[in-house]
Amino acid sequence: MSTAPDQPVQPPRPAADACPADVNAAVGEGARAPRGRADACPGALRLHTADDGALARVRVPGGVLGAAQAERLGEAARRFGDGDVHLTSRGNVQLRGLAAGCGAELAQLLGAAGLLPSAAHERVRNVVASPLSGLDGQGHLDVGGWLRELDGLLCGSAAAAALSGRFLFALDDGRGDVAALGPDVTLRAAPDGTALLRIGRNAALRLPAADAPRAALLAAEGFLAAATPDGGGEPTAWRVADLPDRGAALTADLAGRLTAPPATTAAPPAASPAGTRGKAAHTASPALGPIPHPAAPGGPLALSVLAPLGRLTPDQWRALCALAARTPAAQLRLTPWRGAVVPGVPADRARAELAALAAAGLVTDPGSPWVGVSACAGRPGCAKSLADVRADAAALVHPAPGDAEPSRPTPGSGEPGDTQPEGTQPGSGEPGGATPRPLPVHWSGCSRTCGRPRTPDRVEVVATSNGYRVDLFRTGAPLRSAHPRPADLAATVAAARRGAPTE
């Protein structure tokens, strides 16, 4: 079946409440306005018009790409766009600077690569999954099976095609990494071999792991029914948090529908940092460097890297694709923290392969000042942006001679293979007395704060008409704000990332 649209894919610029940057309000951080129009989120078949050209968002469920698929994405970026592959906060890919009129050719290329299994569902395949699941011996289940089944069920459901491009599924293997990203429907593996299904922030339902993907689809279809007045017309809610009761009735209804055995409510367990079990709750990205599996000493490793500001140059993307193609799995996993994991790298080649990725400009050192730093597109690509936030963020990461240098995260061992969890928040404590890592910081070109991290403790640097505002968030709520002079911006951001008051 052809995935190319019948009409040219060049829509008018979406309204201000569209989601061009793959960002949606996290569940519990305040509901959006009711859904009063057709979904304007961009996709691969419906492009968004930006100041730097058209933008396509290619959904990559779980961030999992075959090496050949990744190569085709790079080809699309080079043929039609600015050449770079842009990673989003959901592990999806954006192609920017696309030429006018390229929509049909782009769709044909992506369809041939298997990246558009259903044209009707291409914008609703928003699924994040634990990136290290099955690779590092952590978690309680390899969620790869869940991912494949849920994606197939979504694409086979006519009702699911009505989900908004903002609706998010999370498949968490029990470590608590993606469960903390504000999903609408979460499946989380439990220690006893069952699954916990959670709708928004409501109490979780316990069910057999084998039934979890279908239950997740039922939850999404139930959301659409609850959001559609009188059973017809367009849904009135974008996400679970937009429902009047935030999904409480939907949870109760689903509990009554699930059988064999009957679902029982279960309090949601505390999240654990990536690479740990049963420790303090924090959203954590995969550690950088080689990641071994404890059950296979001397066996293949996973290599984890970070893309500075989520932007991969053609050479960086080629390096990742080439490495993935040389491994038995021929797989690349993109992460919601704008990084990538390559599984199955032979141990005797891991150090050299990691060095090659570092030479290409990818971040491989847990102590890099790039860790925890993100930004929206900013100028010149976004008309709403008030600043070139990527350039300004990079200037603080690598200050010019004589400028004040921001505080640098302290790594664990500092050697490749150090798997100290990243994203650990100040005050959490670290094994061996290591210095707590700075809070994540996100630079935004306007008050929409597109692409901001989902962590409840974070720093946001927001461009205003009068310079930057620095906001410190604790438990999801703003704690302090400051509007520093340009000369004081670096010091103010550094203090906020340490959790210090900003004024």
Side-chain angles (χ1 to χ4, degrees), residues 28-356:
E29 288 194 3
R32 288 179 176 268
R35 180 174 172 174
R37 56 167 178 76
D39 185 10
C41 279
L45 300 181
R46 184 170 69 189
L47 310 188
H48 168 79
T49 303
D51 273 18
D52 59 350
L55 176 154
R57 183 177 306 148
V58 184
R59 268 62 177 194
V60 184
V64 178
L65 288 168
Q69 290 179 318
E71 290 169 357
R72 296 291 82 76
L73 276 173
E75 178 187 345
R78 295 188 300 273
R79 280 180 57 186
F80 306 120
D82 64 8
D84 293 339
V85 173
H86 303 258
L87 306 185
T88 78
S89 59
R90 291 182 166 191
N92 291 322
V93 165
Q94 288 190 162
L95 306 177
R96 298 190 66 96
L98 296 173
C102 75
E105 288 184 89
L106 174 63
Q108 184 176 18
L109 186 155
L110 297 177
L115 292 166
L116 296 175
S118 170
H121 297 81
E122 63 101 1
R123 290 182 300 122
V124 306
R125 299 167 67 225
N126 292 302
V127 186
V128 292
S130 299
L132 294 180
S133 189
L135 300 179
D136 64 350
Q138 302 299 321
H140 306 299
L141 176 76
D142 183 342
V143 297
W146 281 358
L147 177 63
R148 291 185 291 274
E149 184 176 354
L150 177 59
D151 191 32
L153 290 169
L154 274 175
C155 291
S157 167
L163 290 170
S164 81
R166 309 174 183 190
F167 197 90
L168 180 64
F169 296 87
L171 308 181
D172 194 299
D173 67 1
R175 72 186 70 210
D177 51 357
V178 295
L181 298 180
D184 295 282
V185 176
T186 304
L187 293 180
R188 179 165 176 166
D192 62 359
T194 63
L196 299 176
L197 184 149
R198 194 179 185 196
I199 300 172
R201 287 191 168 181
N202 294 281
L205 306 177
R206 191 179 300 276
L207 64 156
D211 298 342
R214 185 164 294 279
L217 176 65
L218 288 175
E221 293 175 339
F223 160 78
L224 287 169
T228 305
D230 304 321
E234 286 289 323
T236 59
W238 300 108
R239 306 193 64 187
V240 166
D242 300 331
L243 294 173
D245 65 352
R246 295 180 175 261
L250 176 57
T251 299
D253 177 69
L254 188 62
R257 295 175 63 187
L258 296 174
T259 57
T264 56
T265 58
S272 302
T276 67
R277 290 185 184 177
K279 297 186 179 180
H282 297 295
T283 303
S285 61
L288 298 179
I291 300 174
H293 195 297
L301 307 174
L303 295 190
S304 173
V305 299
L306 188 71
L309 300 181
R311 188 171 187 167
L312 289 151
T313 67
D315 286 344
Q316 290 169 346
W317 188 250
R318 286 192 189 99
L320 283 170
C321 292
L323 173 57
R326 292 194 295 271
T327 64
Q331 186 185 91
L332 182 63
R333 300 186 185 185
L334 308 179
T335 81
W337 298 275
R338 297 179 172 90
V341 175
V342 181
V345 179
D348 60 353
R349 284 176 25 209
R351 187 173 294 274
E353 299 284 15
L354 194 66

Side-chain angles (χ1 to χ4, degrees), residues 373-396:
V373 180
S374 59
C376 71
R379 287 182 179 173
C382 178
K384 297 183 181 297
S385 181
L386 301 174
D388 186 347
V389 290
R390 292 192 180 202
D392 291 342
L396 259 66

Side-chain angles (χ1 to χ4, degrees), residues 482-493:
H483 214 129
R485 298 175 302 169
D488 298 329
L489 180 61
T492 303
V493 172

